[in-house]
Amino acid sequence: MFEVKTILAMNITAGVLLAVSLRAAISTPLRESRDGLWLWLASLVAQAIAYSLLAVSETSTWALCYVLAHALLATFISLQAAALFQFFGKRLSTWWHLLPALFIGVLFALATGSAATSSIFAGVFFGTAYVVLATVAAKLGSGMQSAGLRLLVLGFSLGAVAFLLRAIPVLVMPDLLGGELAAEKLVPAGLFLSFMVIILTSVGFLVLQKDRVEAEATKLAVTDPLTGTFNRRTFLELAEKEISRARRSKEPLSLVLFDLDHFKAVNDKYGHLAGDHVLKRFVEVAKMCLRQEDLLVRYGGEEFCLLLPQTNTNDAATMAERIRGATEYSSFSIVDGKSTRPINVTVSGGVAQLGDDPDEDIDALIARADEAMYAAKEAGRNQIAVFPDDADLSALTRSQRLRAVRPVIKPPLSASTRQSGAGKLG
């Protein structure tokens, strides 16, 4: 069995080495940190100092070391809680670092000279604190599939056991306090569990960081960073799978191509930040109209492509018209100088349904939807046009095909909307 001093030295060494290694790996400046790594590093430093003070108190009668050690342990736990909160985009008040440390310092100062009372205070307070940490970690990471999160919860749970081992002998076996069982088995066992806690929780927090980075990298690989929709490459891959499934199940599949009207005027007049806001707002409006299985993609610039499984031409036109109407009547605002002003944003769209030709691929379907969209543009914009399903237009010229595409009748703009005072895009 290890001696108490040996295990304390192990804890100090582990805290210092992990802190040094973590500092070498951190590339974000302290003021810009949003991932909790700096707070976790600070907790490791506080922990190493706390165990150093405990080691000093083992070889001296200076009670202040013992009191300061437990106050620092309280700070260490609050710093780890703050690191978790920051990682999940929340903030822990500074008072949570000061008040627990002050509270523990006062308690242990009052309990100086009473080993039984100190053991109860340490076991109950720190054991409860670790239970709270485990619960907070599990709640904040609810729904997150991460091995790091599981290591954190396990480590915090072991921390609760480690400190409760200091209180149990006093509470249930007071006659053994200071005896052979408590001194030679339970106390070293609790300290050794603390060593395991340092390793498990620190590794868990780093794995949690890694899992987030990988998840964000995967998200960037498949989505458009501005709007959060699928990017073009991912959309084309998913679309080919949907086409194959539609042919196997003999179910309809439709595609809508949208283009924001006069979008260039927004960028020219108000700047690209205003244009970005319009794009993101359009996606928000469109998503409110979609089903879970519908696939929306930013196809390029101000163009968006919408794939609608199990949807025929008429239903797709209805969906497209719903999005067009929602866009027209939704609020769009841009920053013009120092003021914010509303503008009217409209969208044109083209609808096409997957044909019976087994050789037709996603590119051909997009091309027909694109012609329908341009027909809507030429017809005056702010409307939806449908490429006909039952006609062979391949022999016609492009201008003839555009005239053959039928627009969807849209409801007239209400008087209240016409008089709303919102500016036009161009």
Side-chain angles (χ1 to χ4, degrees), residues 331-342:
S331 60
F332 285 76
S333 60
I334 50 89
V335 176
D336 186 10
K338 295 184 178 180
S339 62
T340 301
R341 57 174 295 186

Side-chain angles (χ1 to χ4, degrees), residues 40-370:
W40 196 272
L41 187 151
S43 77
L44 291 172
V45 173
Q47 188 180 54
I49 296 174
Y51 282 120
S52 298
L53 291 172
L54 282 177
V56 171
S57 68
E58 287 286 319
T59 58
S60 71
T61 57
W62 194 25
L64 183 60
C65 289
Y66 193 75
V67 173
L68 289 176
H70 287 86
L72 276 174
L73 284 177
T75 302
F76 143 74
I77 290 179
S78 67
L79 284 169
Q80 291 202 337
L84 274 175
F85 272 80
Q86 189 177 83
F87 178 83
F88 287 103
K90 302 180 184 298
R91 183 176 179 273
L92 194 64
S93 173
T94 307
W95 289 106
W96 284 101
H97 304 308
L98 300 177
L99 292 180
L102 181 61
F103 176 72
I104 285 297
V106 171
L107 282 183
F108 276 84
L110 294 175
T112 300
S114 174
T117 305
S118 295
S119 295
I120 293 174
F121 284 166
V124 172
F125 179 85
F126 291 110
T128 302
Y130 267 115
V131 170
V132 172
L133 269 180
T135 304
V136 168
K139 186 173 181 180
L140 289 176
S142 177
M144 184 178 183
Q145 299 298 321
S146 171
L149 183 64
R150 292 190 288 272
L151 283 175
L152 274 175
V153 174
L154 174 61
F156 291 145
S157 301
L158 282 178
V161 174
F163 277 98
L164 288 174
L165 282 175
R166 298 182 60 178
I168 288 175
V170 185
L171 293 173
V172 301
M173 297 179 294
D175 55 313
L176 293 178
L177 179 65
E180 182 178 350
L181 179 62
E184 295 184 5
K185 293 184 179 180
L186 291 180
V187 173
L191 288 173
F192 185 75
L193 282 179
S194 298
F195 171 76
M196 295 175 62
V197 170
I198 297 172
I199 304 299
L200 279 175
T201 54
S202 295
V203 171
F205 193 67
L206 290 176
V207 172
L208 197 64
Q209 299 278 345
K210 178 189 73 70
D211 290 343
R212 168 176 282 184
V213 170
E214 290 180 351
E216 290 178 348
T218 301
K219 183 179 179 180
L220 287 174
V222 301
T223 61
D224 171 54
L226 176 64
T227 62
T229 61
F230 287 114
N231 60 30
R232 184 169 179 169
R233 184 187 68 181
T234 304
F235 176 78
L236 293 177
E237 294 174 357
L238 295 174
E240 290 293 354
K241 294 179 181 179
E242 288 294 338
I243 287 177
S244 298
R245 184 165 61 181
R247 294 202 185 283
R248 288 195 306 269
S249 60
K250 300 186 183 303
E251 294 177 337
L253 176 73
S254 296
L255 184 140
V256 184
L257 196 62
F258 290 106
D259 186 88
L260 294 176
D261 298 327
H262 302 295
F263 182 75
K264 185 176 182 298
V266 177
N267 285 332
D268 292 344
K269 187 173 182 180
Y270 304 111
H272 288 281
L273 289 179
D276 290 347
H277 171 75
V278 169
L279 292 174
K280 290 188 287 187
R281 177 61 180 152
F282 170 74
V283 169
E284 292 175 359
V285 171
K287 284 185 174 180
M288 290 189 292
C289 304
L290 302 181
R291 305 167 300 178
Q292 185 175 3
E293 63 268 26
D294 299 332
L295 301 177
L296 181 66
V297 59
R298 185 183 177 191
Y299 196 67
E302 68 273 21
E303 286 189 345
F304 292 85
C305 200
L306 175 61
L307 193 67
L308 301 169
Q310 302 176 344
T311 307
N312 58 31
T313 303
N314 291 334
D315 291 339
T318 301
M319 172 70 77
E321 174 59 25
R322 187 180 304 139
I323 294 174
R324 184 211 63 78
T327 303
E328 182 180 15
Y329 291 103
S330 292
S331 60
F332 285 76
S333 60
I334 50 89
V335 176
D336 186 10
K338 295 184 178 180
S339 62
T340 301
R341 57 174 295 186
I343 60 173
N344 283 341
V345 175
T346 61
V347 65
S348 301
V351 179
Q353 182 177 332
L354 183 66
D356 296 329
D357 185 356
D359 295 328
E360 184 179 36
D361 58 9
I362 184 61
D363 292 331
L365 184 58
I366 290 175
R368 291 195 288 118
D370 182 65

